Amino acid sequence: GAVVSQHPSWVICKSGTSVKIECRSLDFQATTMFWYRQFPKQSLMLMATSNEGSKATYEQGVEKDKFLINHASLTLSTLTVTSAHPEDSSFYICSAGTDIYEQYFGPGTRLTVT
Amino acid sequence: GDSVTQMEGPVTLSEEAFLTINCTYTATGYPSLFWYVQYPGEGLQLLLKATKADDKGSNKGFEATYRKETTSFHLEKGSVQVSDSAVYFCALSSGGSNYKLTFGKGTLLTVNP
């Protein structure tokens, strides 16, 4: 149980285009989903917290107009990287929270912007 | 703010060796503490957790004890296997309504046969 999927697992896009990444909780309902960014050999950096039916809460330094987050249902959150640039290339990971002590993580999406 | 410091890797061990990965934290209040594991090509998985001082989390032969006096949560395993090769992340949550996790940088463990 408690499986979180992400789609796509790997995407390459041209600079200036937008990319959407989906995060789904497959067998449970998640009131809260989180989006992280992971650089090579670095920790996960929380980008934003997404609550179903409300606006996402972004961490300091994260551009909300560049990283659009939508949490339209209890099983789906999406992250759209708008006008992507090479510096946005990274590994994006989502997680879904079911209670105060535990989050379940997706396998991640590798974004490469050329 | 909250922060987690864990020993930098990589750590390379032979099978059946003893493992310790150090983790210390800084947090306001009384956080919950976690160890997550990331196997190659997979997402993070919760390995163990402890929610209050002196609690010991354990799973799959791994253990960690919540030490409030030293603000530490060191991960240990008495006899590692090749299948334990992965990246290990120490993390804390200060609770609240959004369960925000703060992670350490991760420690790559490689176990050789």
Side-chain angles (χ1 to χ4, degrees), chain A residues 5-11 19-23 34-39 44-48 62 66-67 69 79-82 84-95 105-113, chain B residues 38 43-44:
Chain A
S5 70
Q6 282 185 241
H7 178 79
S9 57
W10 189 23
V11 58
V19 170
K20 181 185 285 187
I21 301 170
E22 292 186 349
C23 176
F34 304 83
W35 287 96
Y36 296 85
R37 187 171 176 176
Q38 186 180 24
F39 294 97
L44 282 73
M45 181 192 77
L46 180 65
M47 299 174 66
V62 177
K66 180 166 191 60
F67 298 99
I69 291 172
L79 167 68
T80 301
V81 183
T82 62
H85 291 284
E87 58 266 28
D88 299 324
S89 298
S90 191
F91 197 57
Y92 293 88
I93 300 172
C94 74
S95 73
F105 286 80
T109 296
R110 182 160 303 284
L111 169 63
T112 301
V113 184
Chain B
Q38 185 177 30
L44 274 75

Side-chain angles (χ1 to χ4, degrees), chain B residues 29-82:
Chain B
Y30 302 96
S32 295
L33 302 174
F34 306 84
W35 276 99
Y36 283 85
V37 58
Q38 185 177 30
Y39 297 104
E42 298 183 15
L44 274 75
Q45 301 173 27
L46 178 65
L47 180 59
L48 53 85
K49 66 185 181 193
T51 59
K52 61 182 187 298
D54 300 325
D55 268 3
K56 177 185 281 187
S58 61
N59 185 27
K60 299 181 180 180
F62 291 89
E63 293 182 340
T65 301
Y66 189 143
R67 301 287 188 199
K68 185 171 179 291
E69 63 277 14
T70 54
T71 62
S72 65
F73 193 55
H74 305 322
L75 182 68
E76 296 182 337
K77 186 174 186 182
S79 176
V80 294
Q81 305 299 313
V82 173

Side-chain angles (χ1 to χ4, degrees), chain A residues 3-5 23-34 50-54 70-78 94-98 104, chain B residues 99:
Chain A
V3 177
V4 175
S5 70
C23 176
R24 293 182 185 272
S25 57
L26 298 183
D27 49 4
F28 66 100
Q29 294 185 328
T31 53
T32 306
M33 287 185 172
F34 304 83
S50 166
N51 289 296
E52 187 265 339
S54 62
N70 181 273
H71 193 164
S73 76
L74 289 172
T75 59
L76 173 65
S77 177
T78 60
C94 74
S95 73
T98 58
Y104 298 97
Chain B
Y99 332 141

